[in-house]
Amino acid sequence: DAKTTQPPSMDCAEGRAANLPCNHSTISGNEYVYWYRQIHSQGPQYIIHGLKNNETNEMASLIITEDRKSSTLILPHATLRDTAVYYCIVRGGTSYGKLTFGQGTILTVHP
Amino acid sequence: GAVVSQHPSWVICKSGTSVKIECRSLDFQATTMFWYRQFPKQSLMLMATSNEGSKATYEQGVEKDKFLINHASLTLSTLTVTSAHPEDSSFYICSVETSGAKKGVGTGELFFGEGSRLTVL
């Protein structure tokens, strides 16, 4: 699976949009981009995933660049409960179930 | 609601004893479950893939005789840490993948349990 690069930490004010970037320049055509987050001492929580089209669900939006070499996770109105480690993961169809976690981005939402 | 449930959520044991952790798929049948381990301030590392009715597949460097995995039913996988030592103290997390029918096999949502924190004294 392709490797991803994320900033180690980011801050965001409560109520504002949080935009978390991820670089995956070696992504191949059949690999999806997944986003998970982990709140302290809990299991990771699925957020969203996509292939090449932008995706939106009740939690967040995923914007994937046209060349697919990078993506941005957007939390439209961050709350204090969104403080967590956010993982961007690239996974292809042949690596069924396997997720290779990097170090992620520690997002801190402050009042 | 929760898709995957783990039990116990935390356990403390003496060195040399064995500890069993259960992972249950609540909403669907899972032929495959995955076990991860996370040390403090580190990321998750895949330990093994649990296959219903067959032997588990272990990642490189994970001792299969120390971390026994049993997947006897479509909703339950267990991880037993045998002869636990302090260095086995960690956060153990299981995961299950839902059907990726809409986007293809291997591209579904992967749900994680709440995790089980093991402390070996």
Side-chain angles (χ1 to χ4, degrees):
Chain A
D1 294 330
K3 186 177 178 179
T4 62
T5 304
Q6 299 177 250
S9 64
M10 292 184 65
D11 288 340
C12 177
E14 188 177 20
R16 304 297 292 271
N19 298 291
L20 290 86
C22 178
N23 287 323
H24 31 79
S25 59
T26 60
I27 192 170
S28 59
N30 67 343
E31 290 183 317
Y32 284 70
V33 179
Y34 281 75
W35 282 85
Y36 283 80
R37 72 180 183 183
Q38 186 178 26
I39 297 171
H40 183 63
S41 293
Q42 296 183 22
Q45 177 188 22
Y46 168 84
I47 301 174
I48 199 167
H49 74 289
L51 182 61
K52 51 184 177 182
N53 296 321
N54 297 336
E55 301 284 347
T56 296
N57 62 22
E58 64 278 6
M59 288 184 66
S61 294
L62 174 61
I63 308 298
I64 303 174
T65 58
E66 191 170 345
D67 63 9
R68 303 211 317 124
K69 292 184 177 182
S70 65
S71 61
T72 301
L73 177 73
I74 301 173
L75 306 178
H77 305 287
T79 70
L80 299 179
R81 288 178 294 181
D82 291 323
T83 293
V85 180
Y86 287 77
Y87 296 100
C88 169
I89 301 166
V90 171
R91 178 166 73 115
T94 57
S95 55
Y96 178 69
K98 290 186 178 182
L99 291 179
T100 301
F101 286 82
Q103 294 305 308
T105 296
I106 301 172
L107 174 67
T108 303
V109 181
H110 52 84
Chain B
V3 176
V4 183
S5 177
Q6 279 186 242
H7 177 81
S9 55
W10 59 269
V11 57
I12 300 173
C13 71
K14 293 182 179 180
S15 184
T17 61
S18 294
V19 175
K20 180 185 287 186
I21 300 170
E22 294 184 346
C23 177
R24 294 185 182 274
S25 173
L26 300 179
D27 293 339
F28 52 91
Q29 296 179 333
T31 56
T32 305
M33 296 184 181
F34 306 90
W35 287 95
Y36 290 79
R37 178 170 56 182
Q38 185 176 33
F39 292 108
K41 297 187 178 181
Q42 294 187 23
S43 191
L44 284 79
M45 294 293 293
L46 179 66
M47 297 175 65
T49 302
S50 172
N51 304 298
E52 188 268 333
S54 64
K55 292 183 179 180
T57 304
Y58 291 83
E59 296 298 302
Q60 190 173 9
V62 178
E63 299 175 58
K64 62 179 181 180
D65 294 331
K66 181 168 186 62
F67 299 99
L68 302 179
I69 293 174
N70 182 279
H71 194 156
S73 77
L74 290 172
T75 60
L76 174 64
S77 174
T78 60
L79 169 68
T80 301
V81 183
T82 63
S83 186
H85 292 283
E87 58 265 30
D88 298 322
S89 298
S90 186
F91 193 48
Y92 292 87
I93 310 167
C94 69
S95 68
V96 177
E97 181 166 5
T98 62
S99 171
K102 291 184 178 180
K103 294 185 177 180
V105 173
T107 58
E109 301 175 13
L110 194 65
F111 290 96
F112 288 82
E114 312 96 324
S116 300
R117 187 164 300 283
L118 171 63
T119 301
V120 184
L121 302 178

XYZ file of all heavy atoms in Angstrom, chain A residues 4-12 18-23 34-40 47 71-73 75 82-89 101-109, chain B residues 38 41-44:
391
model
N 1.651 7.373 3.269
C 1.039 8.697 3.386
C 1.878 9.580 4.290
O 2.610 9.093 5.155
C -0.383 8.599 3.968
O -0.313 8.038 5.287
C -1.277 7.716 3.111
N 1.771 10.889 4.090
C 2.473 11.875 4.892
C 1.478 12.874 5.423
O 0.705 13.456 4.645
C 3.548 12.605 4.067
O 4.443 11.645 3.508
C 4.338 13.557 4.952
N 1.485 13.070 6.745
C 0.576 14.010 7.380
C 1.366 14.906 8.329
O 2.376 14.481 8.900
C -0.491 13.272 8.203
C -1.385 12.332 7.426
C -2.336 11.606 8.361
O -2.200 10.407 8.581
N -3.310 12.340 8.900
N 0.900 16.126 8.542
C 1.559 16.967 9.553
C 1.346 16.343 10.925
O 0.296 15.770 11.195
C 0.821 18.307 9.425
C -0.480 17.982 8.781
C -0.225 16.810 7.900
N 2.335 16.437 11.812
C 2.213 15.778 13.119
C 1.119 16.373 13.996
O 0.518 15.651 14.793
C 3.595 15.951 13.749
C 4.231 17.056 12.993
C 3.668 17.016 11.617
N 0.861 17.660 13.854
C -0.147 18.270 14.702
C -0.773 19.490 14.032
O -0.163 20.106 13.160
C 0.454 18.671 16.058
O 1.440 19.664 15.881
N -2.015 19.785 14.452
C -2.725 20.965 13.971
C -3.646 21.465 15.072
O -4.098 20.672 15.914
C -3.569 20.630 12.731
C -2.785 20.297 11.489
S -3.855 20.029 10.070
C -4.568 21.652 9.865
N -3.911 22.756 15.033
C -4.860 23.354 15.955
C -6.037 23.922 15.181
O -5.900 24.315 14.023
C -4.213 24.490 16.758
C -3.244 23.969 17.789
O -3.357 22.779 18.143
O -2.384 24.738 18.232
N -7.182 23.980 15.854
C -8.365 24.541 15.215
C -9.248 25.142 16.299
O -9.354 24.586 17.398
C -9.122 23.443 14.458
S -10.653 23.993 13.684
N -12.043 22.458 10.211
C -10.708 21.869 10.343
C -10.365 21.183 9.035
O -11.135 20.337 8.562
C -10.677 20.873 11.494
N -9.247 21.579 8.448
C -8.823 21.009 7.173
C -7.525 20.231 7.387
O -6.472 20.831 7.625
C -8.595 22.119 6.132
C -9.872 22.896 5.849
O -10.810 22.374 5.269
N -9.908 24.140 6.281
N -7.596 18.927 7.291
C -6.436 18.078 7.545
C -5.887 17.542 6.231
O -6.564 16.792 5.540
C -6.799 16.920 8.473
C -7.097 17.300 9.925
C -8.547 17.708 10.098
C -6.775 16.131 10.837
N -4.639 17.908 5.907
C -4.074 17.472 4.634
C -3.380 16.120 4.730
O -2.967 15.683 5.815
C -3.048 18.571 4.332
C -2.574 18.979 5.698
C -3.760 18.817 6.624
N -3.269 15.477 3.583
C -2.555 14.196 3.506
C -1.943 14.065 2.119
O -2.624 14.285 1.115
C -3.526 13.043 3.775
S -2.769 11.405 3.664
N -0.674 13.724 2.082
C 0.003 13.469 0.812
C 0.152 11.977 0.596
O 0.570 11.253 1.509
C 1.383 14.131 0.790
C 1.276 15.629 0.647
O 0.416 16.130 -0.068
N 2.123 16.360 1.332
N -8.530 6.321 2.895
C -9.368 6.170 4.081
C -8.922 7.172 5.148
O -7.739 7.483 5.282
C -9.209 4.770 4.680
C -9.982 3.684 3.985
C -9.555 3.175 2.764
C -11.128 3.149 4.564
C -10.265 2.155 2.134
C -11.838 2.135 3.946
C -11.404 1.650 2.737
O -12.101 0.645 2.120
N -9.895 7.621 5.917
C -9.597 8.453 7.082
C -10.239 7.832 8.320
O -11.425 7.471 8.301
C -10.119 9.877 6.896
C -9.251 10.720 6.018
C -9.287 10.797 4.647
C -8.221 11.606 6.433
N -8.329 11.678 4.193
C -7.670 12.197 5.266
C -7.705 11.982 7.687
C -6.639 13.129 5.316
C -6.682 12.907 7.728
C -6.156 13.471 6.554
N -9.420 7.722 9.361
C -9.883 7.260 10.658
C -9.408 8.263 11.702
O -8.459 9.015 11.485
C -9.299 5.883 11.006
C -9.954 4.734 10.295
C -9.619 4.430 8.985
C -10.919 3.968 10.926
C -10.228 3.382 8.319
C -11.538 2.913 10.278
C -11.188 2.640 8.978
O -11.802 1.603 8.323
N -10.054 8.239 12.850
C -9.556 9.027 13.958
C -9.589 8.183 15.225
O -10.375 7.250 15.346
C -10.357 10.307 14.147
C -11.758 10.127 14.709
C -12.440 11.470 14.838
N -13.764 11.369 15.436
C -14.583 12.403 15.596
N -14.211 13.620 15.191
N -15.770 12.233 16.148
N -8.710 8.539 16.144
C -8.620 7.801 17.398
C -8.601 8.793 18.548
O -7.655 9.587 18.675
C -7.376 6.911 17.436
C -7.331 6.014 18.653
C -6.126 5.095 18.650
O -5.096 5.396 18.059
N -6.256 3.958 19.321
N -9.626 8.718 19.328
C -9.678 9.512 20.553
C -8.953 8.713 21.622
O -9.007 7.485 21.629
C -11.152 9.805 20.935
C -11.789 10.655 19.837
C -11.237 10.498 22.286
C -13.277 10.840 19.978
N -8.321 9.416 22.516
C -7.443 8.779 23.495
C -8.077 7.559 24.164
O -9.194 7.615 24.649
C -7.055 9.808 24.567
C -6.097 9.259 25.578
N -4.834 8.846 25.224
C -6.223 9.041 26.901
C -4.218 8.413 26.305
N -5.028 8.525 27.336
N -14.118 7.374 9.488
C -14.705 8.667 9.145
C -15.264 8.637 7.730
O -16.453 8.855 7.513
C -13.666 9.800 9.265
C -13.112 9.884 10.685
C -14.303 11.140 8.871
C -11.967 10.883 10.832
N -4.955 14.593 -0.496
C -6.364 14.740 -0.139
C -6.476 15.600 1.104
O -5.484 15.820 1.813
C -7.024 13.379 0.080
O -6.389 12.670 1.147
N -7.676 16.071 1.364
C -7.943 16.878 2.542
C -9.220 16.397 3.204
O -10.247 16.235 2.536
C -8.102 18.364 2.180
O -6.911 18.832 1.547
C -8.363 19.198 3.436
N -9.134 16.166 4.478
C -10.319 15.840 5.265
C -10.827 17.131 5.875
O -10.068 17.878 6.489
C -9.979 14.848 6.370
C -11.132 14.490 7.304
C -12.124 13.576 6.582
C -10.627 13.835 8.578
N -13.527 18.800 8.474
C -14.556 18.760 9.508
C -15.195 20.139 9.493
O -14.561 21.111 9.902
C -13.946 18.457 10.880
C -13.076 17.208 10.993
C -12.522 17.085 12.412
C -13.846 15.970 10.606
N -13.907 16.686 18.779
C -13.171 16.259 17.584
C -11.666 16.194 17.826
O -10.907 15.811 16.929
C -13.464 17.212 16.417
C -14.897 17.097 15.915
O -15.429 15.972 15.897
O -15.480 18.141 15.563
N -11.231 16.592 19.007
C -9.813 16.475 19.342
C -9.418 14.997 19.348
O -9.998 14.204 20.089
C -9.530 17.098 20.720
O -9.748 18.511 20.642
C -8.101 16.827 21.153
N -8.468 14.639 18.492
C -8.113 13.230 18.315
C -6.893 13.137 17.398
O -6.423 14.149 16.866
C -9.274 12.458 17.696
N -6.417 11.915 17.222
C -5.391 11.653 16.213
C -6.104 11.200 14.944
O -6.919 10.283 14.990
C -4.397 10.563 16.667
C -3.345 10.341 15.576
C -3.737 10.948 17.976
N -5.804 11.859 13.828
C -6.462 11.552 12.562
C -5.471 10.835 11.649
O -4.380 11.322 11.395
C -6.976 12.831 11.906
C -8.198 13.381 12.609
C -8.080 14.065 13.808
C -9.469 13.170 12.083
C -9.203 14.542 14.476
C -10.601 13.648 12.742
C -10.454 14.325 13.932
O -11.574 14.795 14.586
N -5.898 9.692 11.159
C -5.050 8.878 10.304
C -5.566 8.876 8.872
O -6.747 8.596 8.633
C -5.002 7.434 10.802
C -4.382 7.240 12.155
C -5.175 7.083 13.294
C -2.997 7.193 12.304
C -4.603 6.883 14.538
C -2.418 6.998 13.552
C -3.229 6.843 14.657
O -2.666 6.650 15.881
N -4.680 9.156 7.948
C -4.963 9.046 6.522
C -4.290 7.769 6.040
O -3.085 7.593 6.247
C -4.404 10.270 5.800
S -4.377 10.149 4.006
N -5.039 6.877 5.425
C -4.513 5.573 5.048
C -4.910 5.269 3.618
O -6.042 5.526 3.213
C -5.069 4.482 5.982
C -4.695 4.780 7.429
C -4.560 3.103 5.575
C -5.467 3.969 8.434
N -1.173 1.878 9.525
C -1.304 3.175 10.169
C 0.041 3.886 10.224
O 1.050 3.304 10.600
C -1.833 3.001 11.593
C -3.295 2.664 11.663
C -3.735 1.361 11.483
C -4.232 3.654 11.911
C -5.077 1.042 11.537
C -5.588 3.349 11.966
C -6.005 2.042 11.781
N 0.045 5.158 9.856
C 1.206 6.011 10.070
C 1.076 6.664 11.429
O 0.351 6.162 12.297
N 1.751 7.791 11.602
C 1.711 8.476 12.895
C 0.511 9.393 13.032
O 0.149 9.788 14.125
C 3.000 9.268 13.117
C 4.235 8.382 13.246
C 4.071 7.334 14.327
O 3.735 7.633 15.465
N 4.297 6.070 13.969
N -0.126 9.749 11.907
C -1.318 10.568 11.958
C -1.070 12.013 12.336
O 0.074 12.436 12.571
N -2.154 12.771 12.388
C -2.125 14.179 12.802
C -2.901 14.336 14.090
O -4.063 13.920 14.172
C -2.775 15.080 11.731
O -2.022 15.041 10.525
C -2.847 16.533 12.222
N -2.247 14.911 15.084
C -2.948 15.211 16.333
C -3.685 16.529 16.140
O -3.059 17.595 16.033
C -1.975 15.317 17.510
C -1.206 14.000 17.683
C -2.711 15.686 18.783
C -0.089 14.084 18.710
N -5.005 16.466 16.089
C -5.814 17.679 15.953
C -6.305 18.101 17.332
O -6.933 17.307 18.038
C -7.020 17.444 15.038
C -8.009 18.614 14.948
C -7.367 19.806 14.249
C -9.290 18.200 14.255
N -5.997 19.325 17.689
C -6.475 19.876 18.952
C -7.464 20.990 18.646
O -7.108 21.980 17.995
C -5.320 20.420 19.793
O -4.369 19.370 20.020
C -5.825 20.949 21.127
N -8.684 20.826 19.102
C -9.705 21.859 18.937
C -9.796 22.619 20.247
O -10.017 22.029 21.307
C -11.072 21.250 18.575
C -12.115 22.351 18.383
C -10.947 20.399 17.312
N -1.191 -1.620 20.052
C -0.731 -0.233 20.098
C -0.040 0.030 21.412
O -0.657 -0.048 22.483
C -1.922 0.720 19.920
C -1.527 2.184 19.834
C -2.722 3.084 19.567
O -3.827 2.802 20.022
N -2.518 4.176 18.843
N 1.786 6.059 22.924
C 2.283 7.115 22.051
C 2.786 6.588 20.710
O 3.581 7.255 20.038
C 3.367 7.928 22.755
C 2.863 8.653 23.984
C 3.908 9.578 24.566
C 3.337 10.314 25.771
N 4.308 11.254 26.366
N 2.335 5.408 20.338
C 2.691 4.862 19.029
C 1.435 4.576 18.234
O 0.322 4.619 18.748
C 3.522 3.582 19.184
C 4.880 3.816 19.802
C 5.733 2.564 19.789
O 5.526 1.663 18.978
N 6.705 2.510 20.680
N 1.635 4.294 16.971
C 0.502 4.005 16.109
C 0.116 2.530 16.219
O 0.777 1.743 16.887
C 0.867 4.354 14.668
O -0.278 4.337 13.848
N -0.983 2.155 15.569
C -1.432 0.778 15.594
C -0.580 -0.079 14.675
O -0.216 0.346 13.580
C -2.889 0.670 15.127
C -3.980 1.107 16.096
C -4.110 2.616 16.104
C -5.306 0.468 15.726
